[in-house]
Amino acid sequence: MSTPPAILPKDAAAAEGKVNVQINGKWYRFPKGTRIADACNSVGAHVPCFCYHPKLSVAGSCRMCLVEQGMPPRQAPGTTPQYGDDGYLPISWMPRAVIACANTVAENMGIRTTSKLTEEARRGVLEFLLSNHPLDCPICDQAGECKLQEYTTDYGSGTHRFTEEKTKKGKNLSIGPRVNLDQERCVLCRRCVRFMKEIAGQDVLGVVGRGTHNAIACYPGTQLDSNYSMNVVDICPVGAMTSKDFRFKMRVWFLKSTPTIDVNCGTGTNINIWTREQQVYRITPRQNDAVNSCWMPDDHRLNYKFINAPTRITTPLVKTDAGAGQRPSTWDATFNMVVEQLHRMAPSETAMICSARMTNEELYMVRALSKQLGVTKLDIVPRKGENDGMLVSEDRNPNTNGAKMILGKTGAGLANIRRGVRNNTIRFMIVLGEDLTAEAGFTAEDLAGLEYLLVVDHSENETTKAADVVLPGVTFAEKYGTMINVTGRIQRLNKAIEPIGDSMSDWEICRNLSERLGCDCVRVIACPTPMSVLDEMAQEFEPLEGITWGSIGNEGKVIMETGVTIPLIEREKAKK
Amino acid sequence: MSYVKIKRPKFSLLDKVYVVELVKGLAITMRHLVLSLLGKSRGKEDFSTKGVGVCMQFPDERWDSRLPEYYRGAPTLVRGEDGRERCVSCQLCEFICPARAITITPGEVDPTSNCQKQEKAPAKFEIDMLRCIYCGMCQEACPEQAIFLSKEYLITLTDRKQAIRDKETLYRLGGTRKGLVNKWNQYK
Amino acid sequence: MDAIINWYNDLMSNEIWFYLIHTLLKLVLMFAVILAFVVLSVWIERRVAGWIQDRPGPNRAGLPLFLLQRWGSKEKQPLKNWLQFFGIPETCWIARLCTWLRLDREIPCWGLIQPCLDGGKLFLKQETTPSYVRKFYFILAPMLVLGPPMVAAAVIPFASEVNTCYGHISMCVANLDIGPLWIFAISGLSVYGLTLAGWSSNSKFPFLGGLRATAQLISYEVSMGLSIIPLLMMFGTLNLQQIVQFQADNGWTLLPLWGEGLSWQRWAMMLPLGISFIIFVTCVFAEANRTPFDMAECETDLVAGYHAEYSSMKFASFFMGEYAAMVIGSAVVVTLFLGGWSIGFGADAALSAYSDWLAVLCQLCMFIVKLLAFIFFFVWVRWTLPRFRWDQVMKLGWLYFLEITVANIFLAAAVLYFIK
């Protein structure tokens, strides 16, 4: 006779608000209301899903996540439950599989993800899905990250029993300015439909036709033109929705993904940059439930072309004679020349403009440089836009909080500098990472009137064209660094490619200039990496106390209270 | 026992002095030398060749007619019977190539082509013959039967740039293959 | 005309000028012969290797006629155009002979110009000097390898002596009384080249190669010197010219078939002399770093040995130095054991009685023939024997050869004592 333990596991779990679930023969505890699919995935028993997405409502339409499930038999009236040695009731298994995405766990539930029944169910589902699938993987952009490919490799059968003619549907349909649809590849999971309805709030996609002629399509007169339309490409488990931008550019297995953050607005959307051999091919959002959930806006996603554009400045450019054009030079010669020119400058007649698009490390080094030069007229260029009520923040600078913390500036002094330039009290200028003719409000004449203009930037623009010396900096994909977003979260930028050409990280340029100008502060000139700059900053700035490169992690860390929230995240929290 | 004891031959004193064995060895090599010079080397009758030894006098005499069916020469691209470029630039050959000899720039299919359903075709397809090691893995990996190893083995270059064969050259060398790949026509 | 002859007579009558001029001529001849032989021995090596391995070896390199076509018109200039030019009919035997000799395509050289082309290639190769080497010694080393064999050759007589109206000429650049010692001393210097190459390359395998070369050379130098002592006891002189003269008169060391050589005393000496010969030849192989003793450049353990870091002509210097050492080694063996320049069977004396100059010419030819034969032997051994293991090489040198040579000296002394 078995002797159950004194405290039954069900009571122990209930005290924590949890339930006991047996998965593949082992017992685990999960909070009440956990979906079976999530429960299984969290303990390493993988459940394949097409239609289920944790951020969307449950559809349960693909049937891919079928698992074998069992519960204790219902007690006959008047009997006492017979607990086993381990304190659990015996499980009687259901003769048919259930879908893991739409059901939640319950006390003493049993789940098998590797049983014969499950395997057969999965193979059957895959066979049906593949009966009309065009099998054009060689030309499909999704190949390599396609769920259908993966599951077919894992669970599918190697042969095709379907000899009838396949259903013909539309291929290569343009359903929006940035997205292409291939109805034949579609497995009708309706993730895209749910995304557009629930997250993007632009209900343009739906399923048309009947039976085997079911297909995704836009409602008449509409098209998929939301600023979040490309997220359907990410969530599409197969190659039905493909990005027009990435179409036929590169197979995904050649690409290396680097986790980093977006620098187009103050939100600091978490992204992956996909590169191959110094070339950036695409950007996809990276899940961070505190910043961007799983999504990102299209205009930010597509704003990477300048990284490999021919307008990149790859060598230092100098004007050696007055009136002559810029010509390429070496770093050493340019540094020597710049240092000589900077020594001749009067600090009172000099202004520095840096950018809140720079990382904290770079801003720290800019501050060191300004101290070394004795320049007090220093500010950033503010950028304001409209908050789209989703992810795009009204602050279009990604590191305004960092600039405020390190330099104590928010762009208020910019007008003063502009006035100084116009009334000729400022004759020398150092500009880092900004095109003054754009948001800063300078005109080309203002710049031409300057006696000396030193510019650090990565691409050609009106300001670099007017400059006496241009030092090539790098884009966000080529450097390490940290930024503080609008909610006060410090996040890391990672280097996806090496600096293009001879270009050099801005913090390194500033450090080298300070050193050559005679800076003897070891904390500035001895910094070998951005990580050690961060360590130096952690000692100086109160919000950064205890922060190291490693402790930030891939999801960032909140270091200050700003009171700003991200609307999409707030909505997601409210839903729960 | 994790090792096997090898039985070493026992040497007599005569063997150990080595001189006799040395002379025997010299006799063997001398016999080969004389037979070579007389044109009577062993195995010579298998090659219908002239001259010393069992060597084929390469540029004058060639092995071409005896190359086996499975011979692996320079890789080439082929067209189907319908004149369609079989390659869809799936880049599997580029991926599998152990010497990284293949470089493909994918692109849209030519709008005048006879198979729009294929959608994708290489904009550029280059094989660096200085890198190619003739392993045949590209042929094996190709899902479209588009790349084949020809019997061309004599690749002589006067310039490194010549080594890079572009798409046109590869299609010219590959020619047309029999056997329809029905994947991209209306029947599918 | 008379003035020139008078001036020539005056010049040659002056002893110093006479000495200088004939020495210089011999020197030029000597160097020309040795360098030619270095090149030739490379060809011999490759051809013989080919034959032994049932292949032709380098047989293609000829002077192609397309060179001539390039100079003239773009059209081909086949043989018949040339024949026509000289008015020779195509059916004539000259035409057929030319065709048979493949003159219609190229001037055949049986691959003889292959080494020249190789040399040209090595000249044109990119010269790389690694950044981590010790530059001065790195450049010095190949010179030190090529130099000593050339200098050592100075004492080797390539023909007998001639009496001219101006004086006596010994057909040997430096007729020293310490011939063998000079050779041992100078050729021993070449190991400095290998050692320096190994050390200055500042790299692991070359260094090991250099060490091996040094150890091997020292080990075998000892046995080499000791092994010829029985020989010297018999000859009673160290002057190589006299040694060869003795062999010409009394039978070669290993072939005493005329003169005093027919006496039973000489045949009694064959035992120690035979042992001397075997050991000496083995030591020459070891000194020349030839297979089976090429431990210093053993690919299986040491990549390429001491010259792993060398390229282009510096590498070629090592290559040539090795072949030069082989040529000189052969010359020494021929001189000491195989009668040097002597034609044998009393022919030398008969010829010089007829004409000194004719004798010298024949003797020079004889010397070259013997040299070629021994070079062939070198090559033959190389393509027969596998390389020894390093410990076997050391064991052979120190445990066997040294003891045997010392015992051999006593044996020779005893034989000499009893037969006198």
Side-chain angles (χ1 to χ4, degrees):
Chain A
M1 190 62 206
S2 57
T3 48
I7 302 167
L8 288 171
K10 75 175 173 97
D11 301 326
E16 299 172 38
K18 290 183 174 176
V19 291
N20 293 300
V21 181
Q22 188 201 49
I23 297 175
N24 293 339
K26 280 170 97 178
W27 288 95
Y28 301 92
R29 264 176 208 175
F30 297 105
K32 263 182 193 157
T34 309
R35 294 186 189 287
I36 295 178
D38 292 338
C40 291
N41 286 332
S42 70
V43 297
H46 188 62
V47 175
C49 301
F50 287 118
C51 66
Y52 177 60
H53 191 283
K55 303 283 174 188
L56 303 173
S57 62
V58 174
S61 63
C62 73
R63 320 307 289 179
M64 191 63 213
C65 57
L66 288 169
V67 291
E68 195 175 357
Q69 188 223 37
M71 290 294 285
R74 186 173 296 170
Q75 296 291 319
T79 51
T80 48
Q82 294 294 313
Y83 291 100
D85 271 346
D86 48 1
Y88 294 109
L89 290 169
I91 296 167
S92 55
W93 297 92
M94 291 208 233
R96 285 187 216 150
V98 301
I99 50 172
C101 63
N103 291 298
T104 52
V105 291
E107 179 56 39
N108 217 336
M109 182 188 262
I111 296 163
R112 287 177 185 159
T113 63
T114 51
S115 64
K116 194 165 168 261
L117 180 72
T118 341
E119 301 268 307
E120 264 174 20
R122 286 172 186 170
R123 195 162 61 240
V125 168
L126 276 171
E127 191 165 10
F128 275 121
L129 286 177
L130 287 171
S131 65
N132 274 319
H133 195 81
L135 299 181
D136 54 359
C137 302
I139 64 159
C140 176
D141 279 329
Q142 189 80 3
E145 49 183 14
C146 174
K147 287 279 190 292
L148 189 57
Q149 264 187 343
E150 286 168 22
Y151 297 156
T152 306
T153 320
D154 292 348
Y155 314 112
S157 71
T159 52
H160 205 51
R161 291 189 288 171
F162 189 76
T163 52
E164 289 78 8
E165 208 162 288
K166 292 187 174 187
T167 314
K168 304 282 183 298
K169 295 183 198 169
K171 286 183 83 72
N172 196 8
L173 307 172
S174 173
I175 55 164
R178 293 175 290 277
V179 180
N180 253 6
L181 170 64
D182 188 315
Q183 293 173 335
E184 286 186 352
R185 290 177 193 156
C186 180
V187 294
L188 292 163
C189 69
R190 296 191 284 124
R191 273 187 182 187
C192 48
V193 177
R194 281 175 283 149
F195 172 79
M196 288 312 290
K197 195 172 173 182
E198 294 164 16
I199 309 286
Q202 200 183 8
D203 194 6
V204 294
L205 289 175
V207 182
V208 298
R210 296 191 59 175
T212 180
H213 294 283
N214 261 183
I216 299 286
C218 280
Y219 296 138
T222 62
Q223 60 169 347
L224 188 64
D225 54 1
S226 149
N227 194 26
Y228 290 82
S229 66
M230 288 176 85
N231 289 302
V232 303
V233 177
D234 298 327
I235 58 172
C236 182
V238 291
M241 297 281 184
T242 50
S243 154
K244 281 187 182 174
D245 176 63
F246 185 60
R247 184 173 161 83
F248 300 162
K249 285 289 183 308
M250 191 46 65
R251 306 318 296 266
V252 288
W253 53 77
F254 287 115
L255 302 178
K256 180 191 80 171
S257 86
T258 310
T260 179
I261 58 165
D262 176 54
V263 296
N264 289 295
C265 77
T267 305
T269 302
N270 286 220
I271 57 168
N272 281 317
I273 302 187
W274 299 78
T275 56
R276 182 190 183 189
E277 289 171 9
Q278 289 290 75
Q279 175 86 31
V280 178
Y281 282 94
R282 66 169 180 180
I283 288 173
T284 56
R286 175 164 58 92
Q287 184 171 3
N288 185 343
D289 291 345
V291 180
N292 61 317
S293 189
C294 294
W295 326 113
M296 78 178 292
D298 290 359
D299 49 356
H300 293 188
R301 185 197 292 257
L302 295 177
N303 189 16
Y304 67 89
K305 305 272 160 97
F306 64 91
I307 297 171
N308 294 102
T311 50
R312 278 295 297 271
I313 302 167
T314 54
T315 55
L317 300 172
V318 295
K319 258 183 208 169
T320 36
D321 303 307
Q326 290 168 342
R327 61 167 184 79
S329 179
T330 61
W331 273 112
D332 206 42
T334 314
F335 271 141
N336 286 337
M337 195 179 120
V338 168
V339 166
E340 203 177 299
Q341 288 161 339
L342 293 181
H343 273 309
R344 281 206 299 266
M345 272 177 2
S348 59
E349 293 180 320
T350 308
M352 279 174 84
I353 293 178
C354 60
S355 172
R357 286 175 168 172
M358 299 168 98
T359 63
N360 294 329
E361 291 72 16
E362 286 165 350
L363 292 167
Y364 181 75
M365 283 296 172
V366 168
R367 196 188 64 163
L369 180 63
S370 71
K371 275 186 184 163
Q372 183 61 32
L373 288 168
V375 175
T376 51
K377 297 193 191 72
L378 165 69
D379 216 327
I380 60 165
V381 179
R383 259 189 203 85
K384 290 287 168 202
E386 213 175 298
N387 189 328
D388 72 343
M390 302 270 287
L391 286 173
V392 183
S393 151
E394 65 255 13
D395 181 4
R396 298 296 160 87
N397 276 331
N399 198 21
T400 311
N401 285 330
K404 210 186 288 172
M405 177 183 75
I406 294 160
L407 304 174
K409 310 275 181 181
T410 52
L414 190 65
N416 271 332
I417 296 175
R418 204 158 50 216
R419 213 172 307 124
V421 170
R422 289 189 180 144
N423 64 23
N424 238 357
T425 53
I426 290 173
R427 297 191 295 130
F428 308 97
M429 262 181 94
I430 301 172
V431 181
L432 299 108
E434 284 289 353
D435 180 10
L436 295 185
T437 57
E439 287 94 338
F442 286 78
T443 61
E445 290 80 58
D446 294 341
L447 299 180
L450 288 169
E451 194 163 302
Y452 180 70
L453 177 60
L454 169 65
V455 177
V456 180
D457 209 340
H458 53 74
S459 299
E460 269 176 38
N461 54 39
E462 289 305 313
T463 312
T464 62
K465 279 176 193 156
D468 291 277
V469 177
V470 184
L471 302 175
V474 295
T475 61
F476 71 101
E478 295 152 62
K479 61 188 174 193
Y480 291 103
T482 58
M483 288 187 179
I484 304 170
N485 81 349
V486 285
T487 61
R489 174 179 289 267
I490 188 165
Q491 302 192 97
R492 295 194 307 204
L493 276 168
N494 280 314
K495 189 197 263 183
I497 55 173
E498 291 301 311
I500 285 175
D502 273 349
S503 55
M504 195 189 276
S505 295
D506 300 21
W507 72 270
E508 218 173 337
I509 294 174
C510 294
R511 182 199 62 186
N512 292 356
L513 269 180
S514 308
E515 187 180 358
R516 286 178 189 236
L517 282 165
C519 175
D520 52 1
C521 174
V522 180
R523 296 177 54 174
V524 171
I525 61 172
C527 275
T529 58
M531 295 80 187
S532 53
V533 182
L534 183 67
D535 292 342
E536 290 302 329
M537 285 195 293
Q539 291 173 23
E540 185 174 339
F541 300 104
E542 188 257 324
L544 289 178
E545 206 178 318
I547 294 284
T548 61
W549 183 260
S551 74
I552 294 170
N554 270 342
E555 309 220 311
K557 226 175 188 180
V558 177
I559 55 164
M560 51 172 84
E561 282 297 322
T562 58
V564 181
T565 54
I566 300 162
L568 190 138
I569 300 299
E570 293 308 309
R571 278 207 297 278
E572 197 179 296
K573 278 184 195 156
K575 222 186 268 180
K576 274 188 180 163
Chain B
M1 287 279 264
S2 56
Y3 60 90
V4 181
K5 212 168 183 184
I6 293 171
K7 217 178 143 199
R8 301 267 180 204
K10 271 259 182 231
F11 292 118
S12 65
L13 184 68
L14 200 65
D15 294 334
K16 279 182 185 163
V17 168
Y18 203 61
V19 176
V20 179
E21 297 300 311
L22 177 73
V23 172
K24 276 188 198 165
L26 288 171
I28 290 173
T29 44
M30 183 52 95
R31 198 176 66 235
H32 272 268
L33 188 149
V34 171
L35 287 178
S36 292
L37 286 175
L38 295 177
K40 289 178 182 167
S41 297
R42 201 163 50 181
K44 193 175 169 69
E45 57 274 13
D46 295 345
F47 294 71
S48 48
T49 61
K50 301 176 285 185
V52 178
V54 285
C55 262
M56 193 166 253
Q57 298 290 316
F58 169 62
D60 305 335
E61 303 169 352
R62 296 194 183 201
W63 191 248
D64 294 16
S65 59
R66 306 191 204 187
L67 288 181
E69 228 2 82
Y70 49 82
Y71 184 82
R72 298 198 303 243
T76 56
L77 290 176
V78 302
R79 283 172 196 276
E81 277 174 270
D82 45 358
R84 181 179 66 85
E85 292 181 10
R86 279 191 180 173
C87 179
V88 299
S89 69
C90 71
Q91 295 182 298
L92 282 176
C93 48
E94 181 177 357
F95 184 68
I96 202 82
C97 182
R100 295 199 189 179
I102 303 177
T103 315
I104 301 171
T105 312
E108 301 263 349
V109 79
D110 177 16
T112 61
S113 127
N114 59 355
C115 190
Q116 289 305 306
K117 202 164 184 184
Q118 184 181 319
E119 291 183 37
K120 197 178 176 189
K124 272 190 206 159
F125 194 116
E126 290 177 343
I127 301 183
D128 188 343
M129 294 313 294
L130 286 173
R131 281 179 158 257
C132 180
I133 56 168
Y134 309 94
C135 62
M137 280 164 97
C138 44
Q139 179 177 344
E140 207 165 314
C142 185
E144 299 290 332
Q145 302 182 38
I147 190 162
F148 282 92
L149 262 56
S150 66
K151 287 188 181 176
E152 184 197 1
Y153 59 88
L154 200 58
I155 294 151
T156 318
L157 315 159
T158 54
D159 188 342
R160 273 167 198 274
K161 278 189 191 129
Q162 285 179 10
I164 296 170
R165 292 187 164 167
D166 59 2
K167 194 172 110 176
E168 282 68 39
T169 317
L170 291 168
Y171 271 121
R172 185 165 44 73
L173 293 170
T176 306
R177 283 257 168 173
K178 283 264 158 53
L180 223 48
V181 179
N182 280 328
K183 212 165 177 180
W184 306 110
N185 57 21
Q186 70 276 21
Y187 311 113
K188 188 163 63 177
Chain C
M1 197 66 209
D2 284 348
I4 295 171
I5 293 168
N6 281 338
W7 173 80
Y8 176 75
N9 276 334
D10 286 352
L11 189 71
M12 295 306 259
S13 306
N14 183 324
E15 247 179 58
I16 295 168
W17 276 108
F18 174 69
Y19 177 77
L20 279 180
I21 286 169
H22 81 73
T23 308
L24 197 66
L25 285 175
K26 285 186 293 189
L27 208 61
V28 170
L29 181 71
M30 191 80 203
F31 271 110
V33 168
I34 289 178
L35 285 177
F37 264 74
V38 167
V39 173
L40 195 63
S41 56
V42 175
W43 180 79
I44 293 175
E45 173 108 85
R46 296 184 57 186
R47 267 338 267 272
V48 172
W51 294 334
I52 285 177
Q53 295 165 0
D54 296 343
R55 43 184 188 88
N59 63 342
R60 310 292 300 200
L63 298 174
L65 286 180
F66 69 77
L67 286 177
L68 298 173
Q69 288 158 20
R70 285 280 161 82
W71 293 332
S73 66
K74 293 251 163 129
E75 281 172 42
K76 287 206 166 182
Q77 304 263 354
L79 180 69
K80 54 182 179 191
N81 289 15
W82 293 91
L83 294 174
Q84 238 168 23
F85 181 78
F86 291 106
I88 302 166
E90 269 178 64
T91 48
C92 161
W93 65 272
I94 300 178
R96 266 181 286 145
L97 180 70
C98 289
T99 319
W100 186 76
L101 284 172
R102 301 212 312 200
L103 271 175
D104 52 339
R105 269 178 286 168
E106 59 187 14
I107 299 165
C109 299
W110 306 279
L112 252 176
I113 65 162
Q114 184 76 46
C116 310
L117 296 177
D118 286 348
K121 181 197 77 173
L122 282 166
F123 254 118
L124 297 174
K125 280 230 154 183
Q126 188 186 6
E127 173 86 64
T128 52
T129 304
S131 56
Y132 45 80
V133 299
R134 295 171 176 88
K135 277 229 176 66
F136 176 73
Y137 298 105
F138 189 76
I139 294 166
L140 186 70
M143 303 179 195
L144 279 181
V145 172
L146 192 52
M150 300 286 184
V151 180
V155 294
I156 291 175
F158 48 87
S160 66
E161 295 166 345
V162 196
N163 279 312
T164 63
C165 50
Y166 304 109
H168 181 80
I169 304 175
S170 175
M171 283 300 168
C172 168
V173 177
N175 194 7
L176 296 183
D177 283 338
I178 50 160
L181 296 185
W182 167 267
I183 291 172
F184 295 158
I186 299 294
S187 63
L189 283 179
S190 68
V191 79
Y192 281 99
L194 309 191
T195 313
L196 270 184
W199 173 74
S200 67
S201 289
N202 196 7
S203 165
K204 180 167 47 183
F205 291 123
F207 182 63
L208 288 174
L211 283 184
R212 279 190 180 184
T214 319
Q216 180 178 318
L217 194 113
I218 291 171
S219 313
Y220 282 85
E221 191 86 8
V222 177
S223 325
M224 194 177 179
L226 291 176
S227 70
I228 61 159
I229 286 180
L231 211 68
L232 302 178
M233 284 157 108
M234 186 179 76
F235 295 136
T237 175
L238 276 169
N239 184 315
L240 286 175
Q241 186 66 278
Q242 286 171 19
I243 287 175
V244 178
Q245 190 63 53
F246 178 87
Q247 294 185 66
D249 295 340
N250 300 318
W252 302 349
T253 316
L254 291 182
L255 200 68
L257 292 178
W258 57 91
E260 273 181 27
L262 289 169
S263 61
W264 69 269
Q265 287 97 334
R266 269 301 290 281
W267 283 94
M269 276 299 284
M270 281 305 276
L271 179 63
L273 290 182
I275 295 173
S276 281
F277 176 71
I278 292 171
I279 292 182
F280 186 75
V281 168
T282 316
C283 290
V284 167
F285 272 94
E287 292 273 294
N289 266 325
R290 291 277 304 182
T291 324
F293 293 100
D294 56 347
M295 304 310 303
E297 44 189 305
C298 164
E299 305 88 357
T300 38
D301 336 345
L302 296 183
V303 187
Y306 53 87
H307 56 56
E309 307 288 345
Y310 283 87
S311 59
S312 185
M313 265 330 266
K314 290 209 203 90
F315 166 74
S317 302
F318 282 113
F319 194 69
M320 284 164 67
E322 239 163 77
Y323 280 94
M326 176 174 116
V327 173
I328 301 308
S330 305
V332 174
V333 174
V334 166
T335 306
L336 288 177
F337 290 95
L338 301 176
W341 42 258
S342 88
I343 302 166
F345 301 99
D348 302 281
L351 273 173
S352 41
Y354 181 69
S355 156
D356 268 354
W357 284 108
L358 182 67
V360 162
L361 205 63
C362 292
Q363 285 159 354
L364 181 62
C365 291
M366 192 65 196
F367 184 68
I368 287 174
V369 167
K370 285 181 186 174
L371 196 57
L372 281 177
F374 208 80
I375 287 173
F376 172 77
F377 180 71
F378 254 92
V379 173
W380 186 15
V381 168
R382 170 164 181 185
W383 297 105
T384 303
L385 287 184
R387 188 182 283 134
F388 287 128
R389 224 167 45 215
W390 175 242
D391 62 314
Q392 290 172 331
V393 170
M394 283 292 105
K395 199 172 166 190
L396 186 70
W398 289 109
L399 282 186
Y400 300 126
F401 278 10
L402 186 62
E403 280 74 354
I404 293 172
T405 46
V406 171
N408 196 28
I409 294 170
F410 287 101
L411 178 66
V415 172
L416 280 175
Y417 178 78
F418 284 114
I419 60 178
K420 281 273 158 70

